[in-house]
Amino acid sequence: YIGCYVDNTRRRTLRGVSFFDYKKMTVFRCQDNCAERGYLYAGLEFGAECYCGHKVQASNASESECNMECKGERSNTCGGVNRLSIYRLELAQESARRYGSAIFRGCFRRPDNVSIALPVSQLMLNMSVDKCVDFCTEKVPGAGGGAGGKLNHLNHHQKGSHWKCAGEEFESCGTAEYLLVYQTQVQDNRCMDRRFLPTRAKQLVALASFPGAGNTWARHLIELATGFYTGSYYFDGSLYNKGFKGERDHWRSGRTICIKTHESGQKEIESFDSAILLIRNPYKALMAEFNRKYGGHIGFAAHAHWKGKEWPEFVANYAPWWATHTLDWLRYGKKVLVVHFEDLKRDLFVQLQRMVGLLGIAACEDRLLCVEGQKDGNFKRSGLRKLEYDPYTPEMRKMINGYIKTVDTALKLRNLSGVPDDYYPR
């Protein structure tokens, strides 16, 4: 956190992108969205609006003027009236050189015949990295910095100084002799179209999981495989902004193919006609949810949180919920399909066919093959940060192993395969 700043509506303090969430805005949510876009600063205003930029362009204001509570987190403030609470983001090198889905690949010497490496080009008076990436993604998916081609046509080179982009003074746009190259995601358009259901669904299908078990990733896969939006029992503005357009629909709208939920009470479970129950190794799920809780969607909990009272309190409260969540869905759920997160990672094609089958969709093989190439998308959380120590005490392990055995027994009593072997730590 670097301070409270004046936000001039004519000359914005942070000139980049913005989004708002009038229900659940938090500091972490704003930081996540800005970091994913490669911005170096995040600012919050009016308790609900988030702004991202590379450069702060305003004077400091009094700290007392940034006095509005964040809509989703009352313990923190989110700016004030025409006042921004500004945070400087410490991005990893790769994140700092990301522009949307594009990844910075380096500085390359411009070849004598550039059209061989990058056959599509366009002169832009107000050039910026974002504009170039957008142009190349649309024209030739899989390349950037002048569209098309492969990096093996270019010679990598490290060069210190570059021209400033005409449209963004804080960005570099290469020189007459050197190109800055960005690689965009390769798009297989066979599974990229998504829409709401054409007629109201007669059955409400839950995509149920304990937090941290990969629900968002599963939604991404289902949307690609079926071509229909998924919904949610909640509303997450950051997920809506990332493309989950069913996020704003009421969960009973009937316009979405399935509904995300972490609920585990009898009344909530019996509201659904069927369910895909996603289960993940509790040791991994607990750490993933702890990172999300204290570090946001793509961040990580700080060392102080792991070593402080937060972690043991979290395990004591959440570990029993991991077990009761599965037990409740097995007991009260109607027509429950159990999918293990580990099996989905290991055998995506087969597991996704099972999931789509429950949803009543005849899965097109072309779409499923396309999903294989697009499986990570922009929504799957990156792997867990490797801690230098084991956060689980012997007492925690004894408790969690007991819950694993309970869930394993409950699954086998219903003639289902038990938990994967790797649920038990080695």
Side-chain angles (χ1 to χ4, degrees), residues 18 37 41 45 110 126 182 185 190 199 206 254 274 300 340 351 362 382 396:
S18 64
R37 291 167 169 81
Y41 293 92
E45 187 175 23
R110 185 186 184 95
N126 292 314
Y182 297 81
Q185 285 192 331
R190 291 178 298 175
T199 57
S274 58
F300 297 93
H340 292 284
Q351 296 301 323
S382 59
M396 290 178 184

Side-chain angles (χ1 to χ4, degrees), residues 28-189:
F28 283 133
R29 181 162 292 153
C30 179
Q31 291 173 343
D32 278 352
N33 276 271
C34 293
E36 285 184 349
R37 291 167 169 81
Y39 285 102
L40 302 179
Y41 293 92
L44 297 110
E45 187 175 23
F46 297 113
E49 298 183 23
C50 172
Y51 297 88
C52 310
H54 284 87
K55 185 178 180 182
V56 178
Q57 305 176 100
S59 58
N60 284 80
S62 168
E63 286 296 326
S64 63
E65 295 177 68
C66 286
N67 57 4
M68 285 194 173
E69 293 178 341
C70 299
K71 296 298 184 182
E73 189 177 21
R74 292 188 175 181
S75 59
N76 280 308
T77 56
C78 282
V81 178
N82 295 328
R83 296 293 183 269
L84 282 176
S85 293
I86 302 280
Y87 294 81
R88 182 169 58 243
L89 306 178
E90 295 182 1
L91 305 178
Q93 182 62 29
E94 182 178 313
S95 297
R97 303 309 294 268
R98 273 186 179 271
Y99 287 80
S101 61
I103 302 171
F104 178 66
R105 289 303 187 195
C107 179
F108 293 80
R109 185 181 295 277
R110 185 186 184 95
D112 293 334
N113 189 350
V114 71
S115 63
I116 294 176
L118 303 169
V120 182
S121 64
Q122 178 173 306
L123 180 65
M124 298 183 190
L125 296 178
N126 292 314
M127 174 62 72
S128 70
V129 174
D130 281 336
K131 287 180 180 178
C132 184
V133 167
D134 287 345
F135 169 74
C136 293
T137 301
E138 179 183 338
K139 295 291 184 182
V140 185
K150 297 179 180 178
L151 296 185
N152 57 15
H153 286 297
L154 302 172
N155 294 316
H156 192 271
H157 186 82
Q158 293 297 332
K159 192 75 174 176
S161 60
H162 292 91
W163 290 332
K164 296 294 182 182
C165 296
E168 290 291 353
E169 61 181 350
F170 46 76
E171 292 178 354
S172 298
C173 278
T175 68
E177 190 177 355
Y178 296 99
L179 300 174
L180 296 180
V181 177
Y182 297 81
Q183 183 176 9
T184 63
Q185 285 192 331
V186 178
Q187 298 285 340
D188 182 342
N189 291 324

Side-chain angles (χ1 to χ4, degrees), residues 369-421:
L369 289 171
C370 170
V371 174
E372 186 72 42
Q374 304 290 336
K375 60 184 179 182
D376 287 347
N378 297 319
F379 312 108
K380 185 185 173 190
R381 195 177 291 151
S382 59
L384 296 177
R385 174 181 285 175
K386 297 291 184 183
L387 295 176
E388 296 177 357
Y389 58 91
D390 181 0
Y392 293 102
T393 64
E395 293 77 18
M396 290 178 184
R397 290 186 176 279
K398 183 178 179 181
M399 173 181 65
I400 293 170
N401 287 345
Y403 291 132
I404 291 174
K405 290 176 182 176
T406 300
V407 169
D408 185 60
T409 300
L411 290 169
K412 290 175 178 175
L413 283 174
R414 287 161 178 78
N415 295 318
L416 300 168
S417 58
V419 301
D421 292 338

Side-chain angles (χ1 to χ4, degrees), residues 334-346:
K334 311 164 195 171
K335 194 179 178 182
V336 176
L337 173 69
V338 173
V339 177
H340 292 284
F341 175 85
E342 293 74 18
D343 292 340
L344 187 59
K345 284 183 66 178
R346 183 169 47 247

